[in-house]
Amino acid sequence: MMMGESWAEMGSSIAALMFVWATLQQFFPHQLRTILQEFLFATLQQFSFVQKWSDRMVSFFSPHICITFPEFCGYKNNEAFTAIEIYLSFKFSSKAKQLKAGLVKDFKSLVLVVEQNDIADEFNGFKLWWTLSVPKTQTAANDEMRYFKLTFHRHQREIITKQYLNYVLEEAKTLEAINTQRKLYTNNPSCSWNSYKRKYMWSHIIFEHPATFQTLAMDPKKKEKIINDLTAFSKGKEYYAKIGKAWKRGYLLYGPPGTGKSTMIAAMANLLNYDVYDLELTTIRDNTELRRLLMETSSKSIIVIEDIDCSLDLTSRRKKMKEKMEDIDTDPTKAGLTEHEETNKVTLSGLLNFIDGIWSACGSERVIVFTTNHKEKLDPALIRRGRMDMHIEMSYCKFEAFKVLAKNYLDVESHNLFGKIKGLLEESNMVPADVAENLMSKSDIKDVESCLENLVQSLERDIKQKAKLKSEKNVSEPSNKLPSWVRVKNIKKYGSMFSSCTSLSKK
C-alpha cells in the first residue's frame, strides 16, 4: 500500500508539473518562459541526484535547441558573429527600443545600431530568438567574451541550420556592401591589450581620404598598369586557389619624400574599397605580437608599413649583430646595443614570415604595402619578388604628372606657359608636392596666370640651387689626385719616387 501511494503521489506531481509546463508554453512570452525555465532548472540542480541527470532532464523537458556564435574563434574574429550583428542591426533598427547612433560619411545622416539583447525573428512562419550575451565584469582576469545565442524549436532544426543561417549570412554581405564605410586602423601598444578586449589591438577611425588614381600625379601609362594589376588581384580568388598561392599581393613604393607614396595608398584603398591597417612596428615587442596583429586584420584590407627603413633597423641588423657578437662572449650589452635593440625583438625573419609565411595564409584578399625613401638600404630578402610583387618608383614631377596637377588645381589642360614648364621640369628635381603647392591658389579668386608664373619661378630657383650644389661639390673635391694612368697596384712601387720628387720641389 505504501509503495502504491508513493507512485500515486509521484504521478500526480509529474502531472501537475506537465500542466504548469503546458501553461507556460501557451500563455507566457518567450523571454519570460526563458527566465522561468532557467530559474526552475537552477532550483532543481541544487539536488545532487538532479545534477547527475541534469543534461538528460533539460533535453527531455526543453523542446528548444540553442546555437552560440562567439565573437572570437581562436585567434581570429568570428565572421559569423559580425554578420549576425550587421543583419540584426539593419533589420530591426526600426523596431528595437535600445539603439546606438553614429554619423555616416560627410555628416549626411545617422546610422542606428541595435543595442537590445533579445530580438525575435521569423523565418518561413517559424519563430526564433536571438540573445546577445555580454560579460558582466570586464577585467583582465575575466576571459569571457560576447556571443549571440540563437534559440529555436527542435522541429525546425533542418530549416534553421540549412536555410535560415545561410540567409542571414547572405543578407549581411548585401547590407555591408551597401552601407559599410572604410576604416583606417592603427595598432595599439601591447600593454593596453587584454584577453577580453582582443579587438582593441587595433583602433580605428572612418577612412575619408579623397585621393583617387584620376587625381594622382603620375605618368598615365604607369597608373594604368597599377590599376590593372590591382583589379586583376581583387578578382583573382579562383586563380590564386588554382596556382596554390595565398590570396595576397605586395607592393613596394619607393622614392624621395613628397612624391605621393601615401596618396598612392589612399587611391588603392578607394579603388578596391578596402580598409587600411597602418602598422607601427616600433610599438611591437616581438614576433609573436606581430603575428597576433596579423591575425586580427580582416580580409579585403591593405596592410601598410610606411618608411620601412626607419621603422626598424632591419637592413643591416644581421651584419651588425654578427660583428658585435664577435667582440663579446655572453653579455650583448658590452657590444653597445641601443635601448631600442634591447626592447624591440621584432626580427627580419619575423617580418618575412608576417609577409609570406604560413601564418600569412590565414586570411585572404590582403594587400601589403611598404614605403621607403631609400630602396637601396633594404635587405634584398625583404623586397624580393614574391614578397613585394610590384616595385613602384614614385619619382620627381615630370610633364605628364604636372598636367594632372594643373587639371586638379587650376582646371586647365593647356596654357602658353606649358612649353616652358615642360623644359624646366626636365632639368629640375621638384617633387609633385612642391609643384602642387605652387599651383594652389592663395585667394578665393583662382588666378591661373599667377599660379603658373609662381611655378616657373620656383622651378628656375630649384635649377639654380641644383647647379650651385653641384659646383660646390666639385670645388670641395681634392685637386691633387693621382693621374688616371697610375694604378693602385703601382703605388707602392713608385711611392718612394713620388716622395723624393716632393722633397726636391720643396727645396
Side-chain angles (χ1 to χ4, degrees):
M1 290 292 293
M2 293 179 64
M3 181 68 71
E5 289 177 359
S6 299
W7 281 108
E9 290 178 2
M10 184 178 295
S12 62
S13 299
I14 293 174
L17 183 60
M18 296 301 293
F19 174 76
V20 172
W21 186 266
T23 304
L24 288 173
Q25 293 287 98
Q26 186 172 359
F27 296 105
F28 284 76
H30 168 73
Q31 290 86 349
L32 184 57
R33 289 205 310 270
T34 303
I35 295 172
L36 290 173
Q37 288 172 20
E38 291 177 354
F39 174 76
L40 177 62
F41 293 140
T43 303
L44 290 173
Q45 286 179 347
Q46 298 300 318
F47 302 97
S48 59
F49 73 93
V50 175
Q51 293 176 2
K52 184 177 180 180
W53 301 97
S54 60
D55 292 338
R56 293 185 181 182
M57 291 178 66
V58 170
S59 177
F60 177 78
F61 285 108
S62 177
H64 294 100
I65 295 176
C66 295
I67 303 177
T68 59
F69 301 86
E71 186 174 6
F72 297 98
C73 210
Y75 288 99
K76 299 181 61 177
N77 286 325
N78 188 352
E79 294 185 4
F81 180 94
T82 305
I84 293 166
E85 193 172 38
I86 293 171
Y87 168 78
L88 295 177
S89 294
F90 282 104
K91 185 170 183 180
F92 297 99
S93 59
S94 60
K95 301 177 183 178
K97 295 181 180 179
Q98 299 177 22
L99 297 167
K100 181 174 67 176
L103 284 171
V104 300
K105 187 177 179 180
D106 299 330
F107 302 92
K108 291 181 180 179
S109 62
L110 285 171
V111 59
L112 301 176
V113 179
V114 174
E115 285 284 291
Q116 192 169 314
N117 287 354
D118 297 297
I119 297 174
D121 197 5
E122 187 174 342
F123 184 74
N124 289 349
F126 298 111
K127 280 278 188 179
L128 43 95
W129 299 268
W130 288 101
T131 304
L132 175 62
S133 176
V134 181
K136 295 179 182 178
T137 58
Q138 294 185 338
T139 62
N142 182 16
D143 199 26
E144 294 182 40
M145 65 179 74
R146 296 192 304 163
Y147 63 86
F148 279 108
K149 181 172 70 175
L150 175 62
T151 306
F152 55 92
H153 199 280
R154 66 176 65 181
H155 296 317
Q156 305 163 11
R157 184 176 188 139
E158 292 293 319
I159 295 175
I160 298 302
T161 56
K162 294 184 178 180
Q163 297 181 31
Y164 175 70
L165 291 178
N166 289 333
Y167 163 76
V168 170
L169 296 177
E170 291 299 322
E171 282 291 298
K173 287 181 182 179
T174 304
L175 292 168
E176 186 179 22
I178 297 172
N179 300 282
T180 192
Q181 290 182 301
R182 288 183 300 280
K183 297 179 179 65
L184 173 61
Y185 292 85
T186 184
N187 54 302
N188 295 320
S190 57
C191 59
S192 64
W193 298 358
N194 288 309
S195 58
Y196 69 92
K197 283 185 177 181
R198 282 180 286 180
K199 65 179 181 179
Y200 293 112
M201 293 178 184
W202 295 95
S203 298
H204 73 269
I205 59 172
I206 302 301
F207 182 75
E208 297 180 337
H209 201 294
T212 64
F213 276 97
Q214 286 70 32
T215 61
L216 186 64
M218 181 183 280
D219 182 81
K221 292 182 180 179
K222 184 181 288 189
K223 279 199 291 187
E224 184 179 1
K225 183 179 179 181
I226 298 168
I227 291 171
N228 291 340
D229 190 80
L230 289 167
T231 305
F233 166 78
S234 65
K235 298 178 180 179
K237 182 178 181 180
E238 295 180 358
Y239 174 75
Y240 277 82
K242 177 183 176 183
I243 64 176
K245 186 177 179 181
W247 191 11
K248 61 180 183 59
R249 193 150 179 83
Y251 294 86
L252 174 67
L253 309 182
Y254 65 96
T259 51
K261 295 185 286 294
S262 299
T263 306
M264 168 68 79
I265 295 169
M268 287 179 170
N270 288 327
L271 175 70
L272 299 174
N273 200 24
Y274 284 5
D275 292 333
V276 178
Y277 288 83
D278 184 15
L279 183 61
E280 179 55 58
L281 289 176
T282 55
T283 65
I284 305 172
R285 287 185 298 188
D286 52 36
N287 295 333
T288 302
E289 288 188 0
L290 183 64
R291 191 182 304 120
R292 290 182 64 188
L293 284 167
L294 173 65
M295 296 302 298
E296 288 299 319
T297 60
S298 63
S299 299
K300 293 183 178 291
S301 61
I302 300 176
I303 302 173
V304 179
I305 303 179
E306 292 200 83
D307 297 321
I308 182 67
D309 54 310
C310 301
S311 297
L312 289 177
D313 187 14
L314 299 170
T315 56
S316 56
R317 176 182 289 184
R318 291 182 295 182
K319 181 179 178 181
K320 288 196 297 184
M321 288 298 296
K322 183 179 179 180
E323 292 174 352
K324 290 175 181 179
M325 295 306 294
E326 288 176 353
D327 300 333
I328 59 174
D329 295 323
T330 56
D331 186 5
T333 58
K334 294 180 181 179
L337 288 175
T338 64
E339 182 180 354
H340 177 75
E341 289 174 325
E342 292 174 356
T343 58
N344 191 298
K345 297 180 181 179
V346 176
T347 63
L348 178 61
S349 175
L351 190 58
L352 296 181
N353 288 328
F354 174 86
I355 300 169
D356 67 349
I358 295 176
W359 286 88
S360 68
C362 299
S364 61
E365 205 169 351
R366 288 193 181 106
V367 174
I368 300 174
V369 180
F370 288 169
T371 71
T372 179
N373 297 334
H374 307 283
K375 178 184 175 182
E376 68 280 358
K377 291 184 178 180
L378 299 180
D379 193 298
L382 188 65
I383 60 175
R384 69 162 175 81
R385 304 293 177 175
R387 290 191 174 117
M388 294 293 106
D389 303 283
M390 195 171 186
H391 296 192
I392 303 171
E393 182 180 7
M394 309 296 290
S395 60
Y396 296 107
C397 187
K398 300 305 176 185
F399 187 64
E400 293 297 329
F402 159 75
K403 289 197 295 185
V404 175
L405 293 173
K407 176 65 176 176
N408 294 341
Y409 286 84
L410 303 176
D411 293 323
V412 294
E413 296 183 2
S414 62
H415 193 275
N416 56 3
L417 288 174
F418 273 24
K420 185 175 183 179
I421 291 173
K422 181 179 181 180
L424 292 172
L425 286 171
E426 294 297 327
E427 298 180 37
S428 69
N429 288 336
M430 185 173 286
V431 296
D434 291 337
V435 173
E437 181 62 28
N438 283 283
L439 296 179
M440 186 177 290
S441 179
K442 304 301 187 292
S443 63
D444 296 336
I445 302 174
K446 189 179 296 183
D447 188 352
V448 176
E449 189 78 23
S450 176
C451 291
L452 292 177
E453 286 288 352
N454 288 338
L455 177 60
V456 169
Q457 294 173 10
S458 295
L459 288 170
E460 290 175 344
R461 285 195 299 269
D462 183 75
I463 292 171
K464 290 180 181 178
Q465 183 68 19
K466 182 180 175 182
K468 182 180 179 182
L469 291 173
K470 186 177 180 180
S471 62
E472 289 177 352
K473 182 180 179 181
N474 292 335
V475 170
S476 63
E477 290 179 355
S479 58
N480 56 347
K481 289 184 177 179
L482 295 175
S484 59
W485 51 267
V486 178
R487 299 291 184 262
V488 175
K489 64 181 181 180
N490 293 326
I491 290 179
K492 291 183 178 180
K493 182 178 179 180
Y494 298 105
S496 58
M497 181 180 70
F498 288 144
S499 59
S500 60
C501 290
T502 304
S503 58
L504 288 172
S505 61
K506 288 181 179 179
K507 290 180 181 180

